[in-house]
Amino acid sequence: MSPVTPARVTGTPGRTRVLVAGGGITGIAAAHRLRELLGPDAEIIVAEQSMRLGGKIRTADFAGRSVETGAESLLAARPEAIGLARAVGLGDAIVHPAALKPALSIGGELVDFPAGHMMGIPGDPADVAAIANAKERPDNGLPILEPGQDLSVGALVRERLGDEVLDRLVAPMLAGVYAGDVDRLSVRAVMPQLADALERHARLTEAVAEIKRPATGRPVFATIDGGLDRLVTATSAAARAEIRLGMTVRELRETAAGWEVITGPVPDPIRVTADAVILAVPAKPAADLLRAVAPEAAAALSGVAYASVALAAFAFDRIDLPERSGFLTPASEGKTVKAATFASKKWPHLGRRRQIVRVSMGRLGEEALLQYDDTTLAKTALRELGEHLGQRLPEPVEQRIDRWGGALPQYAPGHVARVAAAREALARHRGVAIAGAAVDGVGIAACVASGQAAAEAVAASLAPAPRQ
């Protein structure tokens, strides 16, 4: 039996210390909020397993432009990411897309994606009549969902509006966002506002019509001129945290004084003592860390599945692109390419000197796609892009492939209740919180909100109890 290597101990005695596991935008946003709440003297440590911050945010120099090779934009309709960008000095760098409509690729033709919908579900069947037969099925006069009840998006839409609406509109939209299977995605997790409205309505279209955003003229999306990496860098700098790259959090132990976190390489571990811990990591590592501390929370997280995607980027000197932001395609079309963004048309700040197109491939269950070499993936993406556009494309002047294995969590029905149960179990332990896409939704805005909420929760737990 080999001897156990004693762990080295780090930390400054007497200072409030919080360790954030995970250096994606969730963890960095949590560190920034902790700095605001705990003040300049707090010791905030961000432990990131890889050698870079940002997680699914990654900007590359491509065709002379700063182009996103992961997450592309911020949801401007939510305040958190835009607010963070302004707070860290990037307010003047926020840019919005051109007012172009997305398209659907059906039968080799690009058609306008219809307006008047929520994630592809129409508020009025007439709005999508040109694309799909959306005749609403008879209802029984009772609300579709009881309080707390959940079901899959596929079951909801198929039963209420039929297969065409699901296959041609809803499934392509959700494949673009989650790379997911509509029959395995939770209505409450994917569309929480709709789920609440379904408790008040017997007809799906009436529920959509109630919550559908009115046209305001304000852009729904935004990004940062110069790349989203700037948001990561600026937020990290403002957080003034100690960043430890290449450091895996391996074990979490609760002590009378707080937490003991085992990090670093197995042969030479480092023990960090902390007053609080935020786990901003994917579901499986979070579950592994919590298994000995809060088994109920670990069990709730362990069932979260992940989908993998591949992104291809092409730059062309000359190409005839339609005046649209891009397109989505139904899985029934039998294509590997599920979506494309005409980046140089969608984002005016990129300029038009060269046309840049981002192509997305991969859905849940198609992980084998990522095993193809770059040349094969690029050829497939280029050929299918030409088929969608109805033209033979020239050779690109530049191209790249980016693989994102296990990038997108899948929220099965009951996900919201399971996360609530996990947090209830963690509430019995002082100074620990979970955050990130694994629990609170995909997208930069959702991750920022999740990290900030976790920071507020642990900061509150560290506050002295009020005198009686």
Side-chain angles (χ1 to χ4, degrees):
M1 185 174 180
S2 59
V4 177
T5 304
R8 291 178 286 138
V9 181
T10 68
T12 305
R15 295 175 64 186
T16 298
R17 186 180 309 120
V18 182
L19 184 136
V20 179
I25 191 61
T26 304
I28 298 302
H32 177 264
R33 185 65 179 135
L34 285 168
R35 179 62 66 201
E36 292 180 329
L37 295 168
L38 299 179
D41 294 331
E43 190 175 351
I44 301 167
I45 301 169
V46 175
E48 164 56 37
Q49 181 178 15
S50 73
M51 295 306 296
R52 56 176 288 274
L53 294 176
K56 304 305 182 294
I57 294 175
R58 188 169 64 197
T59 307
D61 182 3
F62 181 75
R65 297 288 183 269
S66 296
V67 175
E68 305 306 333
T69 65
E72 181 197 30
S73 61
L74 313 172
L75 184 60
R78 288 187 61 159
E80 297 90 355
I82 294 293
L84 178 62
R86 289 177 176 143
V88 298
L90 294 176
D92 292 340
I94 297 171
V95 292
H96 299 284
L100 297 173
K101 293 180 179 179
L104 270 173
S105 178
I106 299 179
E109 182 182 359
L110 294 185
V111 298
D112 284 343
F113 202 102
H117 67 88
M118 180 181 184
M119 296 297 283
I121 306 174
D124 182 345
D127 292 338
V128 300
I131 304 295
N133 177 8
K135 185 177 180 181
E136 196 155 19
R137 311 290 167 83
D139 63 83
N140 58 10
L142 298 174
I144 294 173
L145 289 184
E146 297 177 2
Q149 183 186 3
D150 199 4
L151 76 166
S152 73
V153 175
L156 171 70
V157 178
R158 187 181 292 110
E159 178 184 346
R160 299 285 168 165
L161 292 173
D163 288 334
E164 282 196 354
V165 172
L166 181 64
D167 295 340
R168 291 191 167 193
L169 297 169
V170 180
M173 182 70 73
L174 292 180
V177 177
Y178 297 94
D181 178 349
V182 288
D183 288 312
R184 297 170 64 181
L185 286 174
S186 152
V187 172
R188 286 203 181 273
V190 172
M191 292 177 265
Q193 284 183 300
L194 178 62
D196 290 343
L198 293 175
E199 296 179 8
R200 299 185 291 274
H201 293 278
R203 299 177 73 85
L204 175 55
T205 53
E206 290 177 355
V208 171
E210 177 194 313
I211 61 174
K212 192 175 59 178
R213 290 191 187 97
T216 62
R218 293 194 297 269
V220 176
F221 297 102
T223 193
I224 303 297
D225 191 1
L228 289 169
D229 269 355
R230 293 184 64 195
L231 178 62
V232 175
T233 302
T235 304
S236 174
R240 301 191 307 282
E242 179 185 343
I243 307 296
R244 300 187 182 183
L245 298 177
M247 180 165 284
T248 302
V249 175
R250 302 189 182 282
E251 190 176 346
L252 193 61
R253 302 171 184 166
E254 190 171 14
T255 69
W259 296 90
E260 224 176 53
V261 185
I262 306 301
T263 71
V266 173
D268 188 19
I270 300 170
R271 177 167 60 88
V272 180
T273 59
D275 299 286
V277 175
I278 294 175
L279 301 181
V281 294
K284 186 182 185 305
D288 291 344
L289 289 169
L290 290 171
R291 192 157 283 119
V293 175
E296 308 98 317
L301 293 171
S302 60
V304 178
Y306 281 78
S308 301
V309 295
L311 298 176
F314 301 107
F316 302 93
D317 273 337
R318 288 188 179 87
I319 183 176
D320 184 20
L321 290 176
E323 289 300 314
R324 293 188 171 99
S325 61
F327 65 80
L328 299 169
T329 186
S332 56
E333 293 291 307
K335 302 289 189 183
T336 300
V337 169
K338 65 179 182 180
T341 300
F342 306 149
S344 50
K345 285 187 176 289
K346 180 177 179 178
W347 299 106
H349 71 283
L350 293 179
R352 296 287 185 97
R353 187 172 66 86
R354 280 181 173 157
Q355 297 282 11
I356 297 172
V357 181
R358 279 177 27 126
V359 173
S360 177
M361 299 170 281
R363 299 176 178 87
L364 184 66
E366 297 179 357
E367 287 76 15
L369 175 74
L370 271 66
Q371 303 306 313
Y372 294 123
D373 59 52
D374 286 3
T375 300
T376 302
L377 279 176
K379 284 184 176 179
T380 299
L382 191 63
R383 174 177 52 79
E384 290 195 5
L385 178 61
E387 291 169 356
H388 286 295
L389 295 175
Q391 57 182 286
R392 183 178 178 83
L393 297 178
E395 283 298 310
V397 295
E398 193 169 337
Q399 66 184 37
R400 64 174 290 145
I401 295 291
D402 291 277
R403 293 170 172 79
W404 294 99
L408 296 168
Q410 305 296 295
Y411 309 125
H415 174 82
V416 173
R418 288 189 291 273
V419 170
R423 287 189 163 129
E424 184 178 348
L426 291 178
R428 297 193 285 271
H429 305 267
R430 181 173 179 265
V432 60
I434 51 176
V439 290
D440 290 324
V442 300
I444 296 172
C447 289
V448 168
S450 181
Q452 291 173 339
E456 290 162 6
V458 299
S461 75
L462 297 177
R467 293 182 178 180
Q468 300 295 323

